[in-house]
C-alpha cells in the first residue's frame, strides 16, 4: 500500500517542489525492480516519466528507437518506450534549453507515433510537470489545484478525482483526449495537439476499476453504477418472468457491485442483504496466476452467512464475470449454506474479447463467456440462471450523465477496438503471453511479470482503488530488466524462437 511506504516521515524527507509517483500493478512479464515506475533518462534535460495504459505498436517503436534514434531500451516496459520516444523528440531540437513550444511539438509528434492507450505524466528537471492523454482518451487522468496558505498554488495530476478530494485539492478537470498540459513555477499552459479522434473512455473503469466516489470525464462513477442497477433491474424482471422464477433476496458480491445491487433491489421491491463478509487481506482473484490459486483464494476472500441464504432463492449481483472462477466458487458457497436457487445478475455484458489497452484480462479462451451462450455460461459457473446487462443499457448508464461522450471503448464486450490496428495476428500474439500456461511457465522459470500501470494520485492519504495481488514473485532476472521471455500491457516483448511457441496509475504534486 502507498500509505505503508510513503508515511509522514518519508514524505517529510523528500526535497523539492515537484514529484511523480506510481502505483504498480503486477501482471505478467517481468516485475524486476528495473521496471518499477517512474522511468528516468538523463538525456536530454533529465526526464522522469510514468504511464498508465498499453501501446499496440511496440514492435515498430522498438525498431525505430534501435535503428534510427539509437536509444537503448533496458526493460520490457512500453512505458520506457514512450519515455524514449518523448526524449528523442525533444533531442531533435538540438537546444541547450527548451521552451513550452518545444514540449508541445514533441508531445504532438509522440501522439502521431504511438498507438494505443496512454495517460502520462512527466517531470523535466528544473522546468516543470507535463501531463498528456492519448487522442482517444481511453485511460483517465485529470488535474486539480490547491491554494497554499502563504500564497501560491499547488497542482496535482491523478487518475481519479477522489485523490484530489482526499488531499484538499479542488477545481478538478479532466485532461482532454489529445491534450497536453505544462505546469511550470509561473505558468499553466494547455493545448489540444492532434486532430479530433474518436473520444472513447474505457467503460470498464465505470463498471469495476474506479472508486465510486470518483468522477471520470464528467461522470460520477457512483451515479453510473446506480443507473446500471436500475437498467439491470428491468432486464432481471423480464428474464425472471420468462422463466417463471421468484427471488427472495438480493445479495451483492463485494465490493464493486454494492451500489448497483442496492438500486436493483429497490427497483424490484426485494430485500437487500449483505450475505458475504470479505477478508480484506486477500487480493483480487481474477488477476491471480493459475486457476487453482484463484479457486483456493476465493474461499479465503469471502465467507457466506448461512442465515441470509438458507431456503431462499438468491439473486447475486456482481459487477462482471471474467474467468468465472470467482462466480463458480461463490455460487457453490451459497448452495453449501442452504440456498435453494442461485441466480446471478451481472452489471456488465458477457466479456468475450481481450483487452489491449491496459487491463489485465486473460486470453479469450480463458474467458468463461468465450464461445458460449448465456445458458452455457450459467452451466459453466453452476448458476441456476445467469442474467447479463445489455451493452446498450450499460452505455446508457454512463452516457446519460455526460452526453458529450458519444462513444466508449467496449472492446471486451464487442471486440471493436477504437484505435484500429488490432488484428487477429496481434490478438493471437497477446494470448500466447497472457494465458495461464504462459504465466505459470514464467513463474517456474523464476522470471517475473511486468506491470500494468494504474494511475493513482494525491498525497499519502489519497489512495484509489487499484487491483491488488496476494503473491509477490521474486526477481531472478538481470537487474537491468533484460527479460525477453514475456511482455504484456505496459511492455513490449521480443520472443525467442523457443519462447514463441509457448494493464498505472501515476500521481504528481507540484
Amino acid at each position: 500500500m502507498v500509505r505503508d511506504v510513503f508515511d509522514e516521515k518519508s514524505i517529510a524527507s523528500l526535497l523539492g517542489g515537484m514529484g511523480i509517483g506510481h502505483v504498480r500493478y503486477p501482471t505478467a512479464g517481468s516485475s524486476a525492480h528495473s521496471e518499477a515506475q517512474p522511468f528516468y533518462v538523463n538525456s536530454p534535460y533529465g526526464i522522469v516519466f510514468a504511464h498508465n495504459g498499453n501501446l499496440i505498436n511496440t514492435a515498430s517503436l522498438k525498431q525505430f528507437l534501435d535503428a534510427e534514434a539509437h536509444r537503448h531500451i533496458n526493460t520490457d516496459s512500453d512505458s520506457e518506450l514512450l519515455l524514449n520516444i518523448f526524449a528523442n523528440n525533444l533531442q531533435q531540437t538540438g537546444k541547450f534549453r527548451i521552451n513550452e513550444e518545444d514540449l508541445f511539438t514533441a508531445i504532438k509528434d509522440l501522439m502521431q507515433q504511438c498507438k494505443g492507450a496512454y495517460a502520462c505524466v512527466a517531470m523535466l528537471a528544473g522546468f516543470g510537470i507535463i501531463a498528456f492523454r492519448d487522442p482517444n482518451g481511453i485511460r483517465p487522468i485529470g488535474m486539480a489545484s490547491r491554494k497554499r496558505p502563504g500564497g501560491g498554488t499547488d497542482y496535482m495530476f491523478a487518475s481519479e478525482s477522489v485523490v484530489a478530494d482526499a488531499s484538499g485539492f479542488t477545481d478538478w478537470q479532466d485532461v482532454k483526449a489529445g491534450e497536453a498540459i505544462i505546469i511550470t513555477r509561473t505558468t499553466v499552459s494547455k493545448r489540444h495537439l492532434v486532430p479530433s479522434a474518436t473520444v472513447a473512455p474505457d467503460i470498464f473503469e465505470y463498471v469495476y476499476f474506479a472508486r465510486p466516489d470518483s468522477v471520470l470525464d464528467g461522470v460520477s462513477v457512483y451515479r453510473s453504477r446506480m443507473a446500471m442497477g436500475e437498467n439491470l433491474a428491468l432486464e432481471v424482471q423480464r428474464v425472471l418472468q420468462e422463466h417463471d422464477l421468484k427471488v427472495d433476496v438480493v445479495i451483492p458480491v463485494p465490493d464493486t457491485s454494492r451500489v448497483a445491487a442496492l438500486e436493483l433491489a429497490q427497483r424490484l421491491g426485494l430485500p437487500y442483504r449483505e450475505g458475504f463478509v470479505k477478508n480484506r487481506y486477500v487480493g483480487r482473484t481474477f488477476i491471480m496466476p493459475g486457476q487453482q490459486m484463484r479457486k483456493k483464494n476465493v474461499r479465503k476472500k469471502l465467507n457466506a452467512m448461512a442465515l441470509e441464504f438458507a431456503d431462499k432463492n438468491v439473486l447475486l449481483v456482481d459487477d462482471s464475470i471474467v474467468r468465472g472462477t470467482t462466480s463458480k466458487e461463490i455460487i457453490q458457497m451459497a448452495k453449501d449454506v442452504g440456498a435453494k436457487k442461485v441466480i446471478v445478475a451481472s452489471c456488465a455484458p458477457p466479456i468475450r474479447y481481450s483487452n489491449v489497452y491496459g487491463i489485465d484480462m486473460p486470453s479469450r479462451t480463458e474467458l468463461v463467456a468465450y464461445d458460449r451462450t448465456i445458458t452455457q455460461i450459467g452451466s459453466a459457473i453452476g448458476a441456476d440462471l445467469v442474467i447479463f446487462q445489455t451493452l446498450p443499457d450499460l452505455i446508457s448508464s454512463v452516457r446519460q450523465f455526460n452526453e458529450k461522450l458519444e462513444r466508449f471503448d467496449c472492446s471486451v464486450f464487442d471486440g471493436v477496438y477504437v484505435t484500429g490496428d488490432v488484428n487477429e495476428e496481434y490478438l493471437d500474439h497477446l494470448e500466447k503471453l497472457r494465458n495461464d500456461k504462459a504465466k505459470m511457465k514464467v513463474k517456474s522459470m523464476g522470471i517475473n511479470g511486468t506491470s500494468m500501470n494504474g494511475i493513482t494520485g494525491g498525497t499519502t492519504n489519497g489512495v484509489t482503488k487499484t487491483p491488488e495481488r496476494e503473491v509477490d514473485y521474486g526477481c531472478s532476472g538481470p537487474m537491468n530488466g533484460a527479460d525477453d521471455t514475456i511482455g504484456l500491457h505496459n511492455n513490449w516483448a521480443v520472443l525467442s524462437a523457443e519462447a514463441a511457441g509457448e494493464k498505472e496509475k501515476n500521481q504528481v504534486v507540484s
Side-chain angles (χ1 to χ4, degrees):
M1 298 291 287
V2 172
R3 66 185 176 212
D4 297 327
V5 177
F6 294 105
D7 55 20
E8 290 186 13
K9 182 178 179 181
S10 60
I11 289 293
S13 68
L14 297 176
L15 302 177
M18 302 186 295
I20 292 178
H22 186 269
V23 176
R24 203 152 184 265
Y25 176 142
T27 57
S30 171
S31 60
H33 298 309
S34 58
E35 295 199 357
Q37 294 194 52
F39 281 97
Y40 169 76
V41 291
N42 64 356
S43 176
Y45 314 118
I47 307 170
V48 180
F49 192 93
H51 155 234
N52 170 32
N54 185 58
L55 299 183
I56 61 174
N57 65 330
T58 52
S60 61
L61 293 176
K62 171 73 166 57
Q63 173 67 20
F64 166 78
L65 288 170
D66 184 27
E68 298 184 40
H70 308 303
R71 299 187 72 91
H72 179 70
I73 304 301
N74 290 302
T75 74
D76 288 342
S77 173
D78 64 351
S79 304
E80 190 186 10
L81 291 180
L82 269 166
L83 166 59
N84 277 274
I85 291 291
F86 180 48
N88 183 65
N89 292 347
L90 285 177
Q91 198 157 26
Q92 301 311 304
T93 65
K95 291 183 176 180
F96 178 67
R97 289 285 183 265
I98 56 171
N99 55 38
E100 293 179 20
E101 195 63 37
D102 297 323
L103 287 169
F104 283 130
T105 299
I107 297 169
K108 180 180 179 179
D109 291 342
L110 177 149
M111 289 181 176
Q112 294 169 342
Q113 294 166 285
C114 299
K115 307 297 182 185
Y118 48 89
C120 306
V121 292
M123 181 171 68
L124 263 69
F127 188 92
I129 297 285
I130 304 106
F132 56 92
R133 191 177 182 188
D134 70 78
N136 297 105
I138 298 171
R139 300 259 71 85
I141 184 171
M143 182 180 81
S145 60
R146 177 179 66 188
K147 295 295 183 183
R148 289 197 295 266
T153 304
D154 293 329
Y155 293 93
M156 163 191 285
F157 292 104
S159 65
E160 298 186 31
S161 63
V162 64
V163 182
D165 298 337
S167 305
F169 284 72
T170 58
D171 299 322
W172 175 267
Q173 50 190 298
D174 296 286
V175 177
K176 296 179 176 61
E179 183 181 43
I181 300 176
I182 301 171
I183 299 177
T184 68
R185 293 188 181 279
T186 57
T187 62
V188 177
S189 305
K190 303 179 183 180
R191 188 176 299 180
H192 195 265
L193 297 175
V194 295
S196 295
T198 302
V199 178
D202 189 343
I203 204 164
F204 209 68
E205 292 279 355
Y206 301 93
V207 171
Y208 179 68
F209 272 106
R211 266 183 41 165
D213 44 347
S214 282
V215 177
L216 305 180
D217 289 304
V219 175
S220 162
V221 176
Y222 178 78
R223 293 292 183 188
S224 70
R225 289 179 184 167
M226 286 182 64
M228 290 175 204
E230 182 179 351
N231 287 335
L232 185 57
L234 297 175
E235 183 67 9
V236 166
Q237 188 175 48
R238 182 188 68 80
V239 175
L240 290 179
Q241 287 174 351
E242 282 184 1
H243 290 78
D244 194 25
L245 277 174
K246 291 187 177 180
V247 168
D248 299 309
V249 63
V250 175
I251 294 177
V253 177
D255 287 314
T256 319
S257 63
R258 281 192 170 117
V259 175
L262 180 57
E263 185 69 15
L264 180 148
Q266 291 176 341
R267 293 285 171 173
L268 296 180
L270 293 169
Y272 170 91
R273 297 290 185 267
E274 293 283 348
F276 294 104
V277 177
K278 185 176 181 182
N279 176 1
R280 299 186 180 277
Y281 300 97
V282 176
R284 291 181 178 174
T285 53
F286 92 89
I287 64 171
M288 290 179 177
Q291 192 79 340
Q292 290 303 316
M293 184 182 293
R294 286 187 287 270
K295 288 182 178 180
K296 178 182 176 182
N297 280 282
V298 170
R299 289 181 181 260
K300 288 183 180 179
K301 180 179 179 179
L302 296 174
N303 184 50
M305 293 190 290
L307 61 90
E308 297 295 355
F309 291 93
D311 299 320
K312 295 177 183 178
N313 289 345
V314 178
L315 178 65
L316 297 182
V317 179
D318 206 349
D319 52 76
S320 58
I321 302 174
V322 185
R323 288 183 175 95
T325 307
T326 302
S327 299
K328 185 173 184 178
E329 289 297 312
I330 286 174
I331 291 164
Q332 189 58 52
M333 288 167 63
K335 291 183 176 181
D336 288 347
V337 293
K340 288 194 297 185
K341 288 186 181 294
V342 179
I343 298 118
V344 177
S346 169
C347 295
I351 297 173
R352 304 185 191 275
Y353 304 92
S354 297
N355 182 284
V356 302
Y357 297 129
I359 295 177
D360 183 30
M361 291 287 181
S363 66
R364 287 173 292 183
T365 55
E366 292 173 336
L367 296 167
V368 71
Y370 177 76
D371 203 27
R372 285 190 175 104
T373 65
I374 290 178
T375 301
Q376 290 170 334
I377 295 169
S379 299
I381 63 176
D384 294 284
L385 183 66
V386 62
I387 305 167
F388 287 97
Q389 183 95 269
T390 67
L391 185 55
D393 281 348
L394 175 60
I395 293 171
S396 171
S397 299
V398 182
R399 187 174 181 267
Q400 64 180 283
F401 299 105
N402 183 359
E403 294 188 356
K404 293 181 180 178
L405 296 175
E406 298 181 357
R407 185 175 174 183
F408 296 89
D409 173 62
C410 304
S411 54
V412 295
F413 307 121
D414 61 12
V416 178
Y417 298 95
V418 297
T419 59
D421 300 325
V422 179
N423 54 31
E424 195 65 25
E425 181 182 0
Y426 177 83
L427 292 173
D428 288 343
H429 170 71
L430 203 61
E431 290 190 0
K432 289 177 182 178
L433 308 177
R434 287 190 178 183
N435 63 50
D436 275 341
K437 184 182 292 187
K439 291 181 181 179
M440 296 312 292
K441 178 183 178 184
V442 169
K443 179 185 175 184
S444 68
M445 293 170 65
I447 298 176
N448 246 336
T450 333
S451 66
M452 175 177 84
N453 305 325
I455 290 181
T456 178
T459 54
T460 53
N461 65 338
V463 181
T464 62
K465 176 182 179 183
T466 54
E468 307 158 337
R469 64 171 177 178
E470 182 190 31
V471 179
D472 200 1
Y473 305 112
C475 170
S476 58
M479 289 308 295
N480 68 349
D483 304 331
D484 61 356
T485 304
I486 283 190
L488 66 113
H489 295 302
N490 287 353
N491 61 61
W492 51 268
V494 181
L495 297 179
S496 67
E498 309 162 353
E502 300 285 296
K503 185 232 239 179
E504 354 0 12
K505 288 183 181 187
N506 330 323
Q507 79 161 17
V508 72
V509 182
S510 69

